[in-house]
Amino acid sequence: QLDPENTGFIGVETFASLVHSHELPLDPAKLDMLVALAQGNDEGQVCYQELVDLISSKRSSSFKRAIANGQRALPRDVLLDETGLGIYKRFVRYVAYEILPCEMDRRWYFYQHRTCPPPVFMAAVTLTQIIVFLCYGARLNKWVLQTYHPEYMKSPLVYHPGHRARAWRFLTYMFMHVGLEQLGFNALLQLMIGVPLEMVHGILRISFLYLAGVLAGSLTVSITDMRAPLVGGSGGVYALCSAHLANVVMNWAGMRCPYKLLRMVLALVCMSSEVGRAVWLRFSPPLPASGPQPSFMAHLAGAIVGISMGLTILRSYEESLQDQCGWWVLLLSYGTFLLFAVFWNIFAYDLLG
């Protein structure tokens, strides 16, 4: 009756009177968002499909596009005013302020967030790394600098240039670690940064970014440090961390995470210290070893993946990656690197002796 021409739109005043007269039990926050959506189009009309998407909390880019147009404003300004929230909802609000730079993005994420699917990827990777570390620690009776034990380096999970034909090693090395220090550092960052990123951007994007950093790390080592083995998930960890830090820097004014400058400095100091430690172990090992120690190039490769590909992913909240030209350029560049690295591993080792 309200839309006789079946256009999918009705006037915002008509919709408001409909809600008032029928006393519809709509979430006030979602109603605010719907009115804000209506304010963005030229006729000031409410779209039926936007109503359906908003009420069902379906992922949609329409709200993000409206924000980009700069034409919509919600009546309430900040999430911090929300009171009476449970523990989980407070954590979701914390994640929104940690990851997203725009207040409208934060509100949209806060009100449409659902617990299913949970952020299982980073938790599963971290748990697997801990289990593998404990198994080798108990078996070798060695919890620090495990790579100095010959049996540890014979693991089928470790990447080693002599076994590069076993392609799974280019990924499975992420489950092995030099010792308790490296495992603790990586696990802490994966849980503190990876889990919130996965909650906001989804398991597909974050798992792709993490694994892209891991694969880039091993392939970079195979090209630049051709005698060294490789262990640890630092390629993926540095991809996540560098992407997040770059996103914070690019959107410094909009980020509302507390003590952001101090936290960024501490993160950079910790990451630099870890790289320095890896370089020291590679070239000046404290104990005699039977062969070269693990390379540090995976750290740098992961950071490059995070700053380039990862930053594009994190800046595309509620937007489709395939609609962006920059994403395809980065994907093509990454694919070209993979192809070059594959040919290098096939031919270069024999040619260089």
Side-chain angles (χ1 to χ4, degrees):
Q1 293 175 348
L2 298 175
D3 183 22
E5 297 180 2
N6 198 26
T7 62
F9 291 86
I10 62 171
V12 65
E13 296 83 4
T14 305
F15 179 77
S17 63
L18 181 69
V19 172
H20 178 72
S21 60
H22 289 270
E23 297 182 353
L24 299 179
L26 299 180
D27 186 333
K30 291 186 176 182
L31 187 59
D32 291 343
M33 290 184 179
L34 189 64
V35 173
L37 284 168
Q39 294 171 352
N41 56 57
D42 296 334
E43 294 80 14
Q45 293 181 321
V46 174
C47 174
Y48 175 75
Q49 190 57 49
E50 286 180 342
L51 170 65
V52 173
D53 290 346
L54 189 65
I55 300 304
S56 62
S57 296
K58 179 181 177 181
R59 250 178 111 83
S60 171
S61 62
S62 60
F63 194 69
K64 180 66 179 181
R65 287 198 303 268
I67 294 169
N69 293 336
Q71 297 176 336
R72 299 172 183 179
L74 298 180
R76 291 190 296 273
D77 292 330
V78 292
L79 287 178
L80 296 177
D81 296 335
E82 298 287 340
T83 58
L85 299 176
I87 295 177
Y88 182 75
K89 266 299 184 182
R90 288 202 296 269
F91 177 65
V92 172
R93 180 173 59 185
Y94 163 80
V95 169
Y97 274 92
E98 281 289 310
I99 304 301
L100 295 170
C102 175
E103 182 63 31
M104 288 191 175
D105 280 353
R106 291 191 283 259
R107 291 197 63 190
W108 174 249
Y109 166 74
F110 179 77
Y111 289 114
Q112 65 87 34
H113 174 75
R114 294 293 181 269
T115 57
C116 186
V120 295
F121 175 75
M122 293 312 309
V125 168
T126 304
L127 180 61
T128 304
Q129 291 170 341
I130 293 174
I131 291 175
V132 170
F133 179 85
L134 293 177
C135 289
Y136 276 96
R139 176 184 171 186
L140 305 176
N141 193 27
K142 194 175 183 68
W143 303 96
V144 180
L145 298 178
Q146 292 185 350
T147 54
Y148 287 83
H149 197 293
E151 293 300 318
Y152 184 83
M153 299 307 293
K154 292 179 181 179
S155 168
L157 301 179
V158 173
Y159 166 78
H160 193 283
H163 300 298
R164 63 189 181 280
R166 301 171 184 176
W168 69 83
R169 290 175 178 258
F170 285 92
L171 286 175
T172 57
Y173 78 91
M174 70 180 184
F175 297 116
M176 310 290 285
H177 285 84
V178 169
L180 190 60
E181 304 90 343
Q182 187 190 33
L183 173 66
F185 179 80
N186 286 349
L188 184 64
L189 288 182
Q190 285 173 179
L191 295 178
M192 289 184 61
I193 296 179
V195 170
L197 287 176
E198 187 178 345
M199 289 177 63
V200 173
H201 296 282
I203 185 173
L204 292 180
R205 294 189 179 192
I206 298 306
S207 61
F208 177 82
L209 175 59
Y210 186 87
L211 294 177
V214 170
L215 185 57
S218 56
L219 290 175
T220 300
V221 170
S222 72
I223 296 172
T224 61
D225 201 358
M226 297 172 64
R227 294 196 309 138
L230 186 62
V231 295
S234 297
V237 171
Y238 275 63
L240 296 178
C241 292
S242 60
H244 177 59
L245 293 180
N247 191 43
V248 172
V249 171
M250 293 289 291
N251 301 280
W252 187 262
M255 300 301 294
R256 290 293 179 265
C257 45
Y259 308 109
K260 55 186 176 183
L261 180 59
L262 175 61
R263 294 163 63 182
M264 173 164 287
V265 171
L266 290 176
L268 291 175
V269 169
C270 291
M271 293 171 66
S272 301
S273 301
E274 173 63 17
V275 174
R277 178 179 177 275
V279 174
W280 172 64
L281 290 176
R282 173 68 179 92
F283 294 111
S284 301
L287 298 173
S290 58
Q293 287 302 290
S295 177
F296 59 89
M297 290 302 297
H299 299 71
L300 306 181
I304 293 174
V305 169
I307 293 174
S308 56
M309 185 182 297
L311 183 58
T312 302
I313 291 176
L314 299 194
R315 295 178 67 184
S316 303
Y317 174 68
E318 290 293 332
E319 289 182 349
S320 178
L321 289 172
Q322 63 234 27
D323 296 335
Q324 302 179 47
C325 179
W327 168 248
W328 291 109
V329 171
L330 290 172
L331 209 56
L332 178 62
S333 302
Y334 187 78
T336 303
F337 164 72
L338 294 184
L339 189 62
F340 170 78
V342 168
F343 277 94
W344 181 275
N345 278 273
I346 294 175
F347 300 110
Y349 280 78
D350 293 333
L351 292 175
L352 298 175

